[in-house]
Amino acid sequence: MVGRATAATAAPPTPWSKTLAEPQIDSSAYIHPFSNIIGDVHIGPDVLVAPGTSIRADEGSPFYIGEGTNLQDGCVIHGLEQGRVVGDDQKQYSVWVGQDASIAHMALIHGPAYVGDHCFIGFRSTIFNARVGKGCVVMMHALIQDVEIPPGKYIASGSIITTQQQADRLPDAQEEDTHFSKHVSGINDALRMGYRCAENIACIAPIRDEIEPPSSNTPSTSSNNSMGNYSSNTGLGEGIVEQVRSLLSQGYRIGTEHADARRFQTSSWQSCTPVQSTRESEVLSELQACLNEHSGEYVRLIGIDSKAKRRVLEQIIQKPNGPVSKIAVTKVGNQSSGNQSAGYSSSNGSSSSSSNGHRGGLSGEVVDKVRSLLGQGYRVGAEVADVRRFRSSSWTSVSIQGSRESEVLSALEACLGEHAGEYVRIIGIDPKAKRRVLEQIIQHPGSPATQASSSPSSSQGTPSPASSSYSSSSSYSSSSSYSAPARTSLSGEVVDKVRSLLGQGYRVGAEVADVRRFRSSSWTSVSIQGSRESEVLSALEACLSEHAGEYVRIIGIDPKAKRRVLEQIIQQPTK
């Protein structure tokens, strides 16, 4: 780490400390060069220490900073010579900060002090000679001293908590408070990965200006037995060897990237050692070396057009359980996706004429949607979200490799299997305009992808087969009308209002507020997915059930004018 050598130093010799203890910092943590870490400090995996932070275990020590915790700009962590707290490992510390905690800008944690897992300590707040239990939310400019805060409590901005009686009367943190804390942790984890990537030139600049043009003595593809020799000598499959040969013959460069299972889910790929050669034998040897070095991880092959400084191919050639045994060779350098003959029902590339057949849980509608996107030259991606992230529209990208129908559908099938119990949606991408043309949910928690719910992100250029039209026979109103009281707990007035909004092309949203937030008009948005009447009404029912005892209102949204056309309360707390 660039900044770690200058930011981390041993404790100075003093009458109470003569060991010259040095910080112990996990390799996955990011320590900004403009921060200081002194003395016996343990920093766990995936910790972010932002600029201006001072962690000084030169008087009180030791300090413990748990996995996934973020220490934001200007934080100060220090401790008195006397006084200790008991950490979760039952050892004594001057300061203990647990896992996945957020210590916000300019906060002061002064030992003896304990901050539990998943806590949020707000801007300029001070914790001194105190214990803050797991999952507490401390807002801005608060003082907590000489007390023990029970787990899961909420401390409002400006609070001064200096007696145990005050601490015992604190309210519980609400769901929106803990959600905010988790959101902050997620943001800072992304920053940590970004900072680490910025220090690795291979991560951000895989294509260099000084790349030489391909050598004139690039091996000819006419050798019939060379492919078999390379395949047997390196262990690479014939499809991989043929793909490399195809790229080199067209003058492209070869690169590789790798990712462990966690980074693969967030598409956070890291570059392998750059492949400098353009000779097929040397490229394949370096490719095999990358696979060996990163066994147990995902590895993908990159085709690079050095003149246009763009990628022409991204193809996974190894998964955690080993190299991909068979890959379909993709012709690069043109717009043809080859999906007219790829077919989905056969894993060996044989064609399939049936667009309605199912495979791996994908419905005929999903298959048709993918076929339609690829046929129009669009790319296909995917995003996933658990129930909590779905409510806040915090989707996570999943890499879908290939441009052939069979490859895309196989990748989607794998994505659904890996993220069972979560929301999954496919993304249609216009690579030329660099915009999304489709966002469509194909899996809900607890239900397979039996029918897709269309939610286009653009009013123009969105593929929309007749089978997914709202007015088609597959729409909800034709199969089981929501007007029937027995099918829904929503009133007829609400059902009619939703139907009217959707019929006019508007979107439907929802907002909730407890009694306290209602008085100050502080509503919280709830994501309502889909544009079909059945989906919207089901989501509204779920919202009412989840937020029983709160105010709930529906929102009508004009997506073109980006304005609200309706705000109507449909639930009030029962008195």
Side-chain angles (χ1 to χ4, degrees):
M1 191 63 59
V2 172
R4 184 168 296 162
T6 58
T9 58
T14 60
W16 58 87
S17 176
K18 299 180 181 180
T19 62
L20 300 179
E22 295 185 354
Q24 301 177 13
I25 303 173
D26 189 271
S27 61
S28 63
Y30 176 79
I31 313 300
H32 195 276
F34 292 166
S35 62
N36 285 288
I37 304 174
I38 300 172
D40 190 0
V41 180
H42 171 89
I43 294 183
D46 299 334
V47 168
L48 168 67
V49 178
T53 293
S54 177
I55 307 174
R56 291 198 298 121
D58 53 4
E59 182 181 349
S61 68
F63 294 172
Y64 180 93
I65 312 297
E67 179 178 357
T69 286
N70 61 87
L71 306 175
Q72 300 173 22
D73 311 66
C75 289
V76 174
I77 300 182
H78 196 242
L80 296 178
E81 176 192 354
Q82 301 296 325
R84 295 291 182 269
V85 296
V86 177
D88 292 349
D89 59 0
Q90 303 306 309
K91 297 179 181 179
Q92 291 188 348
Y93 294 86
S94 177
V95 174
W96 173 283
V97 180
Q99 298 181 5
D100 297 314
S102 292
I103 313 300
H105 313 290
M106 307 296 288
L108 169 61
I109 311 296
H110 204 289
Y114 172 98
V115 177
D117 298 346
H118 308 293
C119 282
F120 175 84
I121 310 299
F123 316 139
R124 294 184 178 274
S125 288
T126 298
I127 312 295
F128 171 57
N129 192 31
R131 292 183 67 92
V132 179
K134 179 179 179 181
C136 285
V137 177
V138 181
M139 300 306 288
M140 284 65 78
H141 292 266
L143 169 63
I144 299 176
Q145 179 180 343
D146 304 329
V147 297
E148 181 172 348
I149 306 296
K153 295 300 181 180
Y154 176 86
I155 296 88
S157 296
S159 297
I160 299 177
I161 311 297
T162 56
T163 68
Q164 192 59 42
Q165 185 179 30
Q166 290 175 306
D168 293 338
R169 291 179 176 178
L170 289 169
D172 293 335
Q174 301 299 309
E175 182 180 356
E176 56 266 29
D177 302 319
T178 55
H179 172 72
F180 169 72
S181 176
K182 293 176 182 178
H183 174 71
V184 171
S185 295
I187 292 295
N188 281 275
D189 188 56
L191 288 172
R192 177 188 59 81
M193 290 189 292
Y195 279 126
R196 286 178 61 84
C197 179
E199 292 185 347
N200 178 8
I201 189 63
C203 178
I204 59 176
I207 304 172
R208 297 170 176 266
D209 292 336
E210 64 266 25
I211 291 181
E212 299 177 358
S215 173
S216 59
N217 61 354
T218 300
S220 169
T221 61
S222 60
S223 177
N224 294 328
N225 56 7
S226 61
M227 180 176 70
N229 292 336
Y230 284 132
S231 177
S232 60
N233 293 338
T234 65
L236 300 175
E238 294 182 2
I240 298 175
V241 175
E242 183 61 32
Q243 191 68 273
V244 170
R245 180 174 294 124
S246 174
L247 289 165
L248 293 175
S249 68
Q250 298 178 67
Y252 296 131
R253 305 283 296 191
I254 304 296
T256 49
E257 292 179 331
H258 66 95
D260 57 25
R262 181 174 61 84
R263 291 182 176 273
F264 175 77
Q265 293 177 2
T266 57
S267 297
S268 301
W269 293 85
Q270 295 178 300
S271 296
C272 298
T273 303
V275 178
Q276 302 294 342
S277 177
T278 57
R279 297 186 63 182
E280 182 178 330
S281 59
E282 296 172 352
V283 170
L284 292 171
S285 295
E286 293 190 53
L287 193 58
Q288 183 63 53
C290 177
L291 294 176
N292 294 337
E293 182 180 355
H294 299 285
S295 60
E297 298 185 41
Y298 291 88
V299 176
R300 68 180 180 184
L301 175 71
I302 308 296
I304 306 168
D305 184 339
S306 56
K307 295 181 180 179
K309 294 186 173 68
R310 66 183 180 89
R311 296 186 177 193
V312 297
L313 177 75
E314 294 179 347
Q315 187 168 54
I316 293 178
I317 60 175
Q318 177 175 281
K319 296 183 178 180
N321 57 356
V324 177
S325 57
K326 292 183 180 180
I327 65 170
V329 178
T330 304
K331 295 182 178 180
V332 294
N334 53 53
Q335 295 295 324
S336 173
S337 64
N339 65 319
Q340 66 270 18
S341 62
Y344 183 55
S345 61
S346 174
S347 59
N348 61 6
S350 61
S351 63
S352 171
S353 59
S354 173
S355 62
N356 296 324
H358 300 266
R359 180 177 184 259
L362 294 180
S363 69
E365 183 179 350
V366 174
V367 175
D368 288 339
K369 183 66 68 176
V370 170
R371 183 173 293 129
S372 175
L373 288 166
L374 295 176
Q376 298 178 65
Y378 296 131
R379 302 284 296 179
V380 176
E383 292 180 331
V384 300
D386 57 25
V387 176
R388 179 177 60 83
R389 292 184 177 273
F390 174 77
R391 293 174 188 151
S392 58
S393 297
S394 301
W395 293 84
T396 301
S397 297
V398 175
S399 178
I400 300 296
Q401 300 295 325
S403 57
R404 289 190 174 186
E405 181 182 322
S406 57
E407 297 168 344
V408 172
L409 292 171
S410 294
L412 282 176
E413 178 186 345
C415 176
L416 293 176
E418 183 175 353
H419 297 279
E422 299 184 49
Y423 291 90
V424 179
R425 69 180 181 186
I426 59 171
I427 308 296
I429 306 167
D430 185 339
K432 295 182 179 178
K434 296 181 179 178
R435 64 183 179 90
R436 295 187 176 194
V437 297
L438 178 78
E439 293 178 348
Q440 180 168 316
I441 295 177
I442 61 173
Q443 176 175 282
H444 293 73
S447 63
T450 55
Q451 189 171 5
S453 55
S454 178
S455 61
S457 60
S458 173
S459 58
Q460 296 178 352
T462 303
S464 55
S467 61
S468 64
S469 171
Y470 179 77
S471 60
S472 70
S473 60
S474 63
S475 67
Y476 184 82
S477 59
S478 64
S479 58
S480 56
S481 175
Y482 242 100
S483 299
R487 297 304 301 272
T488 178
S489 60
L490 300 175
S491 67
E493 180 184 356
V494 174
V495 174
D496 290 339
K497 185 65 67 177
V498 169
R499 183 174 291 129
S500 174
L501 288 168
L502 296 176
Q504 298 175 68
Y506 296 135
R507 304 285 295 178
V508 176
E511 293 180 331
V512 299
D514 58 22
V515 176
R516 177 173 60 88
R517 293 181 178 273
F518 176 76
R519 291 172 185 159
S520 59
S521 297
S522 301
W523 294 85
T524 302
S525 296
V526 175
S527 179
I528 301 295
Q529 298 293 325
S531 58
R532 291 187 177 185
E533 182 181 330
S534 58
E535 297 161 351
V536 173
L537 293 173
S538 295
L540 282 177
E541 279 189 304
C543 176
L544 293 175
S545 176
E546 182 177 353
H547 296 279
E550 296 182 57
Y551 291 87
V552 178
R553 68 181 182 185
I554 59 171
I555 309 297
I557 306 167
D558 185 343
K560 295 182 180 179
K562 296 181 180 178
R563 63 183 179 89
R564 296 187 175 193
V565 297
L566 175 74
E567 292 180 350
Q568 181 172 321
I569 295 177
I570 60 174
Q571 177 176 281
Q572 300 184 28
T574 56
K575 297 182 180 180

